[in-house]
Amino acid sequence: MLPTFLRFPFAFAGLITLISLLPIPALAARYPSYGTLRTTKSGGVLNVVINNTYSTINLFDMHVQSDLANLVETLQANDTDVRVVVFSSANKEFFIGHIDVEYFLPGYESVLPLYDTGFPDMLFPVALLWNITQLPQATIAVIEGRTRGIGNEFLMSCDMRFASTSPSVLISQLETSLGVNPGAGGGMYLARLIGRGLAFEYVLSSADVDARTAARVGWVNAAFGTPRELHAHVRALAARIAMFPAAGIIATKTGINAATRLSREEIVNAAQNVIAALLPTPPVQGAFRRFIHVTRNQSIGKMELDYGAEVGRLFE
Ligand SMILES: *[C@@H]1O[C@H](CO)[C@@H](O)[C@H](O)[C@H]1NC(C)=O
Ligand SMILES: *[C@@H]1O[C@H](CO)[C@@H](O)[C@H](O)[C@H]1NC(C)=O
Ligand SMILES: *[C@@H]1O[C@H](CO)[C@@H](O)[C@H](O)[C@H]1NC(C)=O
Ligand SMILES: *[C@@H]1O[C@H](CO)[C@@H](O)[C@H](O)[C@H]1NC(C)=O
């Protein structure tokens, strides 16, 4: 029998489709709002601070996903008033910890549908990240903490990434250590960004990569010695791009996406459906349970802070 997570949400998907057809006020959010994103607008720049108050590690859980999906829907409406979106985190230890691994275990209940309503062949978080890649705004991630798994896939879905050289910045695509693959295409994006050999090295080893290394190989655009320099650089870059016509930003993104992004079908077939087949298997279910145990239920502690060095504890 399929685990719960592969069974129940179809009912939810139906419900949400129905709700979206009802006459709702234009500004009503499609998904529940949890206040995990603080947004402020400055000229044509929207600053979005990820502040998951339900988690000590800025977990990419249903709260953040729900709030991000509502934000994406607003931005997709070609709100030409916003030309650049800058994502940063309130938690200086974690930009985005990783996905909420409970998501993959039986009994997990989410307010979100399992599969996206717009792209029914894509799991909800996969569709969410895909949508971010083609927002009509330029997107920039400002990294001041650890970012692993889907956190790195979120970085890959942004147009540009800048980091601080703080020791809190550790970037990793850690899925291989849990017996799976980056299901939203993180390995595929990374291979295009830093090359085949380095992508294999970092993704197969599930290593933590520091900001200087990430900048040297092109994983992030640049790394800055102080948060002040980091924010000053991004502020100036965002303000500059935001002066330009929205049409130019959209047109340029179309071309760079065509040259550097895998197709939706390739991501679905070679990343998402590969992990989906592995998830219900006993070794993977066991690995996720072990992960939740050693991370003390995905909370801040030695394992989450230093996963790259501590990963062997999964196999003790
Ligand atoms: C926004 O612009 C893009 C590119 O021009 C277009 O494909 C899309 O349909 C537009 N979306 C809306 C909601 O108008
Ligand atoms: C994050 O949210 C908490 C709770 O609402 C709040 O106290 C804190 O100031 C927020 N942090 C930032 C940087 O917005
Ligand atoms: C993704 O975008 C499509 C429209 O292109 C929309 O129907 C769908 O709801 C979006 N999904 C998420 C999770 O943002
Ligand atoms: C982990 O924590 C969440 C809330 O933070 C809770 O809902 C869940 O039951 C906990 N899981 C375990 C295995 O303790």
Side-chain angles (χ1 to χ4, degrees), residues 19-280:
I19 290 171
S20 69
L21 295 175
L22 298 175
I24 46 173
L27 288 173
R30 183 199 293 241
Y31 301 106
S33 296
Y34 295 101
T36 63
L37 304 178
R38 185 167 49 85
T39 58
T40 50
K41 198 163 161 293
S42 161
V45 180
L46 186 72
N47 290 292
V48 181
V49 181
I50 306 168
N51 187 8
N52 186 352
T53 47
Y54 298 83
S55 160
T56 52
I57 61 163
N58 244 354
L59 206 57
F60 201 75
D61 62 4
M62 66 174 179
H63 307 105
V64 170
Q65 289 180 43
S66 197
D67 286 341
L68 272 174
N70 286 331
L71 174 69
V72 162
E73 188 167 23
T74 313
L75 294 170
Q76 278 175 333
N78 289 349
D79 172 6
T80 47
D81 216 25
V82 177
R83 311 232 169 96
V84 182
V85 183
V86 177
F87 293 100
S88 60
S89 68
N91 185 331
K92 296 304 171 209
E93 296 298 332
F94 293 91
F95 176 83
I96 291 176
H98 47 74
I99 202 160
D100 180 2
V101 164
E102 300 262 1
Y103 175 73
F104 302 119
L105 298 178
Y108 178 75
E109 292 191 13
S110 178
V111 296
L112 300 169
L114 181 61
Y115 282 91
D116 187 51
T117 49
F119 294 118
D121 60 343
M122 290 181 121
L123 290 163
F124 190 87
V126 179
L128 176 60
L129 297 189
W130 172 260
N131 282 351
I132 291 173
T133 66
Q134 54 190 18
L135 285 173
Q137 298 83 15
T139 51
I140 306 177
V142 178
I143 313 156
E144 290 181 90
R146 294 154 185 83
T147 311
R148 301 192 179 105
I150 203 163
N152 186 57
E153 290 176 315
F154 178 88
L155 295 184
M156 300 286 103
S157 74
C158 292
D159 301 338
M160 293 158 269
R161 293 148 290 280
F162 297 92
S164 106
T165 57
S166 152
S168 298
V169 173
L170 295 171
I171 311 178
S172 156
Q173 201 68 70
L174 52 64
E175 289 82 352
T176 312
S177 67
L178 296 164
V180 292
N181 61 299
M188 301 159 98
Y189 283 100
L190 201 56
R192 294 233 163 151
L193 198 57
I194 67 175
R196 176 176 159 88
L198 291 177
F200 269 128
E201 179 182 344
Y202 293 127
V203 183
L204 287 177
S205 67
S206 297
D208 278 340
V209 174
D210 63 39
R212 281 195 183 83
T213 307
R216 181 169 47 79
V217 301
W219 192 327
V220 302
N221 291 35
F224 296 88
T226 64
R228 191 191 180 83
E229 290 170 273
L230 167 66
H231 286 277
H233 178 80
V234 171
R235 205 178 309 115
L237 176 65
R240 181 182 173 91
I241 297 171
M243 289 192 302
F244 304 151
I249 295 170
I250 294 170
T252 291
K253 286 191 63 163
T254 302
I256 295 183
N257 271 335
T260 58
R261 187 183 57 168
L262 276 294
S263 72
R264 223 178 60 72
E265 289 69 26
E266 284 167 313
I267 290 170
V268 167
N269 294 326
Q272 175 196 283
N273 290 351
V274 175
I275 194 175
L278 289 168
L279 288 173

